[in-house]
Amino acid sequence: MSIGQSLRSLRVRSRKVALAAAGAGLLLGSTAHAETLRFAFQGTLNALDPYSLNETFTLGMLGNVYEGLTKRDKDLKIIPGLAESWEVVDPLTWRFNLRKGVKFANGNDFTADDVIFSADRVRAETSDLKTRIPADSQWTKIDDHTVEVKLTSPNPILHYEWDTWYIFDKEWAEAEGAVSPVSARDTNPGPAAFKANGTGPFVIDSHEPGVKTIFKPNEGWWGEPEHNLTEVVFTPIAADGTRVAALLAGDVDLVDPVPVQDIPRVNSDPNTEALTGPELRVIHLGFNQFRDELPTSDVKGKNPFRDVNVRKAIYQAIDMEAIKERVMRGLSTPVPLLIANELFSGSGEFERLPHDPDAAKQLLADAGYPDGFSVGMDCPNDRYVNDEAICQAVVSMLARIGVTVNLNAQPKAQYFAKVLAPGGYDTDFYLLGWTPGSFDSWNVITNLVGCRDETGKGGPFNLGGYCSEEVDALAAKIVGEIDPEKRDALIKEAYTIMTNEVSHIPLHQQSLVWGKRKNIDIVQRPDNQVLFYWATVN
């Protein structure tokens, strides 16, 4: 649903809010007005350093405060951001003309120095967004409002992910001790991790990690506001029932997500409605193929996940139609690849492996595990739609072929700290969701499948350490190929290898389900970013 072109007139109404999030220890009490948007999400907003965690929710929330050189409009089309224009001078040289008159929230001027600083900062060891720009690119300040980028190989999609590569104020970062990004695993990140200073349409007025964050409009923003908000109050509410109850009671205005089983309840209330739509995120399962032995398995001396027959057996034991109908209540689309069907023209040429428990048992026997084996599984319980329920279903399905899975489901903050590079990729079997920031296959192949080392150099979100030199070589060709048909052929070749080797198990595209009061208008993009600057309270 998109907002109108003109802002509706403001109505002032007041209402006391007392929201007790049972079991979560959260309390929100304030006087709300028509211009206040009260938003609840299932997970928390912790550190405010946007380079800490490459996660859609965190980047979306901070995208209300920070901006990139590019932005994306309501239809996800790339538009100018802090760079008002750019040109490809030659295949290895890009020039960006920066917007003049832009100030950071603290009043500092935005200049080329900030872009150069941010280009170095995002490539730092502790950054989770290293792949946003080529590691070997050279950034040069031409003048205060012009930056030139030199590449070592052509890259037609260089700027595709820059809407979520946010530009930092160099002077502020140096003064606050925020020159280096905060690691997602850092338990003592320091005060700078909980401060923000962007050029975006909102500022963070106060922040209590895991409790409440208050956003206020940035009065000095360079753009033309399309919202009528004077305040946004964000409160995490982990429990599905509590979150929906808060919406129905009028204690919050917008919630994400609404459990699929509660959609009829939300739609039947005269004051609320469910806002649904397709999402570009693909949920998948991955295997630890990096280590010689799985720490959580009863198989010793070898790694069963290194055998393609075992990976294929796990795949064929999973009944995706059952997950779609029983867990997702029909609001999901099973997919054959790690990318949404809409984002690759050749996706229709691929098919999922059929659900076949008998074939799965035979594959396990062929691999030398006729009685199965045990293994641990990591899963978030507050990040994706019905994430823990999906994992529980998988556990049940694998038990039928003799594979005993010990599920470790935990909040996303603990989950990501464990399974990502800062946690040493501490997982043997996991569930992860991925929306390619560029909406392009190269992002998927590089981030999720690229060969990596122990630190994540290579494929930083390839949690299981799958490695194919052939796929890596194809990825290097894909990023520099300008001809669309040749590029798609290379992408298809890479996906064919990944599919044949069962690098991962693609599950489904989940659907977006937000719940809102009917007096709220807000844009719901398929990338699932909650952007306050397109919200109005009527």
Side-chain angles (χ1 to χ4, degrees), residues 506-534:
L507 296 180
H508 60 231
Q509 284 177 248
Q510 63 183 28
S511 295
L512 295 176
V513 187
W514 299 354
K516 71 180 187 70
R517 306 291 293 177
K518 287 185 176 178
N519 66 324
I520 303 296
D521 283 340
I522 189 166
V523 173
Q524 185 185 60
R525 296 194 317 197
D527 64 350
N528 198 28
Q529 289 193 22
V530 181
L531 301 172
F532 309 138
Y533 49 80
W534 287 324

Side-chain angles (χ1 to χ4, degrees), residues 292-308:
D292 295 330
E293 181 178 293
L294 301 177
T296 65
S297 177
D298 59 358
V299 176
K300 302 303 177 185
K302 59 180 177 178
N303 179 348
F305 286 154
R306 284 184 172 174
D307 189 322
V308 67

Side-chain angles (χ1 to χ4, degrees), residues 425-454:
Y425 295 109
D426 182 16
T427 184
D428 286 340
F429 187 39
Y430 61 90
L431 178 138
L432 186 69
W434 190 259
T435 305
S438 60
F439 309 121
D440 179 83
S441 289
W442 180 83
N443 171 284
V444 171
I445 296 167
T446 300
N447 283 283
L448 298 182
V449 186
C451 297
R452 65 160 176 84
D453 61 16
E454 294 88 343

Side-chain angles (χ1 to χ4, degrees), residues 279-334:
E279 185 175 10
L280 299 178
R281 185 187 315 279
V282 167
I283 307 298
H284 67 267
L285 299 176
F287 312 93
N288 179 353
Q289 302 174 57
F290 192 84
R291 294 183 175 90
D292 295 330
E293 181 178 293
L294 301 177
T296 65
S297 177
D298 59 358
V299 176
K300 302 303 177 185
K302 59 180 177 178
N303 179 348
F305 286 154
R306 284 184 172 174
D307 189 322
V308 67
N309 283 335
V310 172
R311 301 196 297 273
K312 188 174 180 180
I314 301 295
Y315 193 142
Q316 294 202 256
I318 296 172
D319 185 347
M320 279 309 301
E321 287 303 316
I323 290 176
K324 176 181 178 179
E325 296 304 321
R326 298 172 193 170
V327 179
M328 302 301 291
R329 306 295 179 96
L331 287 175
S332 66
T333 303

